[in-house]
Amino acid sequence: MSNHDFRTIIGGMNYNQFGKKVLATQIRFSTLEAIFEVDPEVQRKLDPQRRSEIREFILKSLRGKDFYFSPFIFSARGALTQTKQGWALEPGAKLYILDGQHRESAFVSALNHLLSQKETAEETENDKEAQKIQGYIDKLREYPVAMQIYLDLSQQEERQLFTDINTERKEAHNGLIMQYDHRDAYTKLTRKVAKQLKDQFEIERELSRLSSQNSAVTSLTTMRKCLLAMFEGNLTVKKGEADFGNYQPEELAAISTAFFQSWPQIFPPQLANRKKFVSGLTGIQVALAYAIYHYTKKHSIPHLEAIQQLRSLKKYCTWKHDDPLFIHLYDTTTRRIKHHSSTTAIQKTAFKFLDILDKERIGST
């Protein structure tokens, strides 16, 4: 990309997609800022929370590995003309964003945040910190944004494309995230523990939901939910940095492995038989972890000690669907427990486990 007679020249490759001309290109974010516009007639209102989440992702990624975004999508509205030098954008003309509004706004917000941090560092004469932050700023400004620019869409077609993108878009499959995400601490811990357990029982690494025909005891997705419930008491979506308390990395791995290794000791031999037993169901596994969290808090004991107490559950539970312990989930029509993975169901199940653990604790003192 270059300036030619005060016009912006954009390189790239043009092609036809479903009868529409599209230019595929890549430009620096600092240049993109100056040449695009948001049309409120086409775009939805900006969601500040979504912007904040993406900004935090960007800032965190700057301090670690590189990060990647799918191509931003724009409409040229006839403002791009093909020349010998490339595609020319006339002075004052704009590209209209169809997909990437929140990512673009998050970039700007991240830059403003870094500029403010740099200013504070300079005012406190922390030159080393200021230089480090300047490096992050330069990296963001130079970030290569992949773009698809539709050259000849009408505004009605823009609205239709925007609707199609946001209706059909699917989030990345949980199984894929669990295998390849290197930023989330719980995901990395889950993969590490699963590697330790690979010879002890079968773990599903791709699917997040296991059918009654699946021979795996659990999945990577469920294991992550267990660890989040056990260490933080969180049964929903994790946001922000992981909070493992005062545990060191090697302790986290040992505790997590011990939790899953306790399953064959407390569950029936056919623990993956979901038709006969509940031990292979997500809600039961997460409830067990959630009970550990509350047990450690209630009695001020470390996780490893709490996990050792789980063995007492075997005396009070058959782990069959019709066991009285699961009466709050049991469906007499199907003779199976249902809706075991809702937050409310997990909490109720966990506190029933907790009652048993407390009863055993009193009896042993």
Side-chain angles (χ1 to χ4, degrees):
M1 192 207 67
S2 62
N3 289 324
H4 179 73
D5 295 332
F6 303 105
R7 297 180 297 175
T8 300
I9 304 297
I10 302 174
M13 179 186 71
N14 60 296
Y15 59 94
N16 286 314
Q17 186 176 62
F18 303 113
K20 299 298 179 182
K21 294 180 181 179
V22 184
L23 173 64
T25 187
Q26 180 176 286
I27 64 175
R28 294 177 304 170
F29 177 72
S30 57
T31 302
L32 175 62
E33 270 194 289
I35 63 173
F36 91 96
E37 194 75 56
V38 175
D39 185 345
E41 294 296 319
V42 175
Q43 279 282 4
R44 60 188 167 187
K45 187 178 179 182
L46 188 75
D47 180 354
Q49 180 61 35
R50 178 66 178 143
R51 175 180 60 192
S52 174
E53 291 172 359
I54 300 174
R55 181 193 66 212
E56 294 311 307
F57 164 76
I58 291 171
L59 291 171
K60 182 179 178 181
S61 299
L62 282 172
R63 293 165 172 80
K65 296 189 175 185
D66 290 333
F67 59 98
Y68 308 93
F69 283 134
S70 58
F72 290 43
I73 300 177
F74 295 84
S75 177
R77 294 187 180 178
L80 283 175
T81 306
Q82 192 168 18
T83 69
K84 291 181 180 179
Q85 292 79 26
W87 290 84
L89 183 67
E90 297 299 323
K94 300 288 185 180
L95 302 176
Y96 290 83
I97 193 164
L98 300 180
D99 184 52
Q101 179 188 12
H102 287 88
R103 284 173 285 166
E104 184 282 331
S105 185
F107 261 98
V108 174
S109 182
L111 276 169
N112 289 337
H113 180 80
L114 290 170
L115 287 167
S116 177
Q117 284 189 326
K118 182 192 174 189
E119 186 175 291
T120 300
E122 290 172 338
E123 289 174 353
T124 56
E125 297 184 353
N126 190 341
D127 294 337
K128 186 176 180 180
E129 180 68 12
Q131 289 176 5
K132 183 172 73 172
I133 296 171
Q134 183 61 52
Y136 297 148
I137 292 170
D138 294 340
K139 187 174 181 179
L140 271 191
R141 285 174 173 164
E142 295 296 316
Y143 184 85
V145 178
M147 300 168 61
Q148 290 178 339
I149 306 172
Y150 283 82
L151 301 173
D152 55 0
L153 294 183
S154 67
Q155 281 187 267
Q156 178 57 39
E157 288 172 328
E158 288 178 0
R159 284 190 285 269
Q160 184 61 56
L161 177 58
F162 174 81
T163 300
D164 290 346
I165 289 170
N166 289 281
T167 300
E168 296 301 322
R169 170 173 283 149
K170 300 291 189 297
E171 295 296 327
H173 189 276
N174 279 338
L176 196 64
I177 293 173
M178 291 303 302
Q179 291 182 68
Y180 298 107
D181 186 1
H182 292 280
R183 299 186 179 95
D184 178 66
Y186 278 102
T187 300
K188 291 193 293 184
L189 178 59
T190 300
R191 285 199 300 265
K192 182 176 182 179
V193 172
K195 188 176 181 180
Q196 295 291 323
L197 298 169
K198 65 180 181 179
D199 296 327
Q200 298 181 42
F201 52 74
E202 185 180 348
I203 299 169
E204 173 59 58
R205 296 178 179 276
E206 295 183 4
L207 302 177
S208 53
R209 292 186 179 182
L210 304 183
S211 67
S212 57
Q213 288 76 36
N214 196 302
S215 60
V217 172
T218 189
S219 68
L220 289 178
T221 302
T222 299
M223 289 175 68
R224 182 187 181 280
K225 290 179 180 178
C226 286
L227 296 180
L228 183 56
M230 184 169 69
F231 287 113
E232 295 193 33
N234 188 339
L235 299 178
T236 58
V237 178
K238 172 64 181 175
K239 295 182 179 180
E241 297 290 332
D243 182 5
F244 294 118
N246 296 321
Y247 289 123
Q248 297 300 311
E250 61 274 10
E251 293 177 304
L252 292 173
I255 293 167
S256 303
T257 303
F259 171 71
F260 295 112
Q261 285 177 329
S262 72
W263 290 5
Q265 299 172 18
I266 62 174
F267 289 147
Q270 302 175 48
L271 62 167
N273 186 342
R274 295 172 183 80
K275 289 183 178 180
K276 189 174 182 179
F277 301 109
V278 303
S279 46
L281 302 180
T282 297
I284 303 303
Q285 295 174 356
V286 177
L288 206 59
Y290 191 63
I292 290 293
Y293 170 80
H294 283 281
Y295 195 70
T296 61
K297 298 297 181 185
K298 186 174 183 179
H299 300 293
S300 300
I301 62 173
H303 279 71
L304 280 176
E305 183 178 334
I307 290 168
Q308 290 174 0
Q309 305 306 312
L310 289 178
R311 285 175 291 184
S312 60
L313 291 175
K314 195 170 185 177
K315 294 192 298 183
Y316 297 88
C317 183
T318 65
W319 303 105
K320 292 182 178 180
H321 289 259
D322 61 353
D323 190 286
L325 196 62
F326 310 117
I327 191 68
H328 60 296
L329 304 170
Y330 189 65
D331 185 329
T332 55
T333 305
T334 61
R335 296 183 180 181
R336 303 278 297 275
I337 69 168
K338 296 176 65 177
H339 310 301
H340 51 83
S341 291
S342 71
T343 300
T344 301
I346 290 173
Q347 289 172 333
K348 286 184 178 179
T349 305
F351 286 119
K352 288 197 171 191
F353 290 152
L354 201 59
D355 286 342
I356 293 175
L357 296 178
D358 283 338
K359 179 180 178 181
E360 277 292 295
R361 186 180 180 87
I362 294 172
S364 63
T365 55

